Amino acid sequence: MKYFVISLLLGLFIQANAQKTKKPYKQLQGFHHPESVVFDEQQKVYYVSNMAGKEEQDGFISKVSENGEILDTTWVKSLQDPKGLLLHGDKLFVTDISFLVEIDPASGDIISKTEVENAKSLNDIAADQEGNIYISDLVGNIIYKRDVSGNISEWLNTQELERPNGLLVSEDKIFVASWGKDEPGHLLQVDRKSKEIKKISPKGIGNLDGIQKIAPDSFYVSDWATGDIYRINTNGRMEKVLRSEKSSGDILFLKGTEELVLPMNHQNAIWWYRLN
């Protein structure tokens, strides 16, 4: 009986571990340090931001088909270091170091580039129901707010943000995936009225990057440093869903098909995972 129990536990461990380390069902090469990916329901395409190399204005955005084929590698060019992407209204917004860039998805034309005063390294970007846009500055420990009139100002500036990376906005909270500095970053929540900051994760996790909503109280969060993807609830419960590889960036969750799409920065690729 003892050996049966040990074998059963070993089998369950192997099964659970295999699930967490499962391989992507699709991999698409051809990018240059991709950071973020979003899906355009209107155009039925993915947009991928590419940080590229160290040359001036060598950053770009790629367009990928719904089936996972590159349609245009350098669909939008002449960017410096594009990271966060947001489809908002009929525009595509991208953060580019100290600029917020507005793009027409229908044509790929750059409509405007707005410099954010004092910004050091703009990263993720998210919008609320009223149309305000929030932007994280990882190096500056700041969250900026662009109001519906287009004015951009500091919304929150504090070391308690732990170098904010990924952002997700709800009706009354802003959830922050923090990169961390002296210790691993936490998943944080910021009250939109009081601006009070609370640590959701019971301990520091790692260099947190992407955050995607599963339900009002549940999120997928990526750790860039390990490639681990976690499911974290607002009550602090945390479960590792899968492990990819180091440098998984600003992830995308497709709720309809239960898929995670990962921009793999060092691998110069996009990886698709099925969760069901």
Side-chain angles (χ1 to χ4, degrees):
M1 182 65 179
K2 179 175 68 173
Y3 296 108
F4 172 76
V5 173
I6 292 173
S7 297
L8 178 61
L9 292 174
L10 181 60
L12 290 173
F13 172 79
I14 292 172
Q15 183 180 12
N17 192 57
Q19 182 181 7
K20 291 172 185 175
T21 58
K22 64 183 177 183
K23 299 295 184 182
Y25 80 88
K26 184 189 300 180
Q27 301 183 43
L28 182 63
Q29 302 291 140
F31 304 95
H32 195 175
H33 297 313
E35 163 62 21
S36 182
V37 55
V38 295
F39 185 71
D40 187 337
E41 290 285 354
Q42 299 295 322
Q43 305 287 334
K44 297 299 180 185
V45 294
Y46 296 93
Y47 303 121
V48 180
S49 60
N50 294 258
M51 296 163 59
K54 297 181 180 180
E55 300 295 325
E56 288 291 326
Q57 304 297 310
D58 66 346
F60 57 93
I61 298 174
S62 303
K63 186 193 291 190
V64 176
S65 75
E66 186 175 16
N67 297 324
E69 299 175 351
I70 294 179
L71 299 174
D72 192 338
T73 302
T74 54
W75 175 62
V76 178
K77 297 183 286 187
S78 300
L79 300 173
Q80 185 60 35
D81 197 15
K83 294 185 178 72
L85 295 171
L86 171 69
L87 284 162
H88 180 62
D90 59 351
K91 302 294 188 300
L92 174 66
F93 292 88
V94 57
T95 58
D96 195 18
I97 303 184
S98 60
F99 287 85
L100 179 63
V101 182
E102 189 175 352
I103 298 166
D104 180 358
S107 64
D109 293 335
I110 293 176
I111 299 170
S112 66
K113 290 185 178 182
T114 304
E115 188 168 13
V116 179
E117 187 176 359
N118 298 322
K120 294 179 174 65
S121 181
L122 300 180
N123 205 294
D124 202 14
I125 178 171
D128 65 20
Q129 292 177 328
E130 291 78 38
N132 302 297
I133 292 175
Y134 298 84
I135 311 164
S136 64
D137 185 337
L138 186 147
V139 175
N141 267 308
I142 297 170
I143 296 176
Y144 290 94
K145 178 180 177 181
R146 176 188 184 271
D147 64 26
V148 293
S149 299
N151 301 311
I152 301 175
S153 60
E154 283 189 9
W155 184 78
L156 184 59
N157 183 339
T158 172
Q159 295 292 318
E160 291 182 63
L161 288 170
E162 299 180 0
R163 301 173 75 188
N165 195 334
L167 296 181
L168 190 150
V169 180
S170 72
E171 185 176 349
D172 58 350
K173 302 285 193 305
I174 295 180
F175 297 94
V176 182
S178 293
W179 188 261
K181 186 177 181 180
D182 298 325
E183 63 178 32
H186 290 79
L187 178 61
L188 309 172
Q189 72 174 29
V190 184
D191 187 278
R192 286 178 57 189
K193 289 185 178 180
S194 68
K195 299 186 181 179
E196 179 185 0
I197 299 173
K198 174 185 175 183
K199 294 179 180 178
I200 294 177
S201 55
K203 61 180 181 178
I205 302 171
N207 296 140
L208 302 189
D209 199 318
I211 176 171
Q212 289 282 281
K213 180 179 177 181
I214 306 169
D217 63 346
S218 182
F219 315 96
Y220 287 124
V221 180
S222 63
D223 176 9
W224 187 96
T226 63
D228 290 338
I229 309 297
Y230 296 92
R231 179 172 182 152
I232 307 177
N233 294 342
T234 51
N235 62 11
R237 182 180 178 185
M238 188 168 70
E239 172 193 5
K240 187 188 296 184
V241 176
L242 61 87
R243 166 165 285 187
S244 58
E245 291 181 9
K246 181 176 181 177
S247 82
S248 56
D250 191 4
I251 60 177
L252 170 66
F253 174 53
L254 301 174
K255 192 170 184 178
T257 56
E258 288 289 311
E259 293 174 279
L260 278 172
V261 187
L262 278 56
M264 303 300 298
N265 190 270
H266 287 176
Q267 294 79 1
N268 292 319
I270 304 296
W271 292 359
W272 281 259
Y273 287 86
R274 289 194 178 98
L275 298 174
N276 50 16

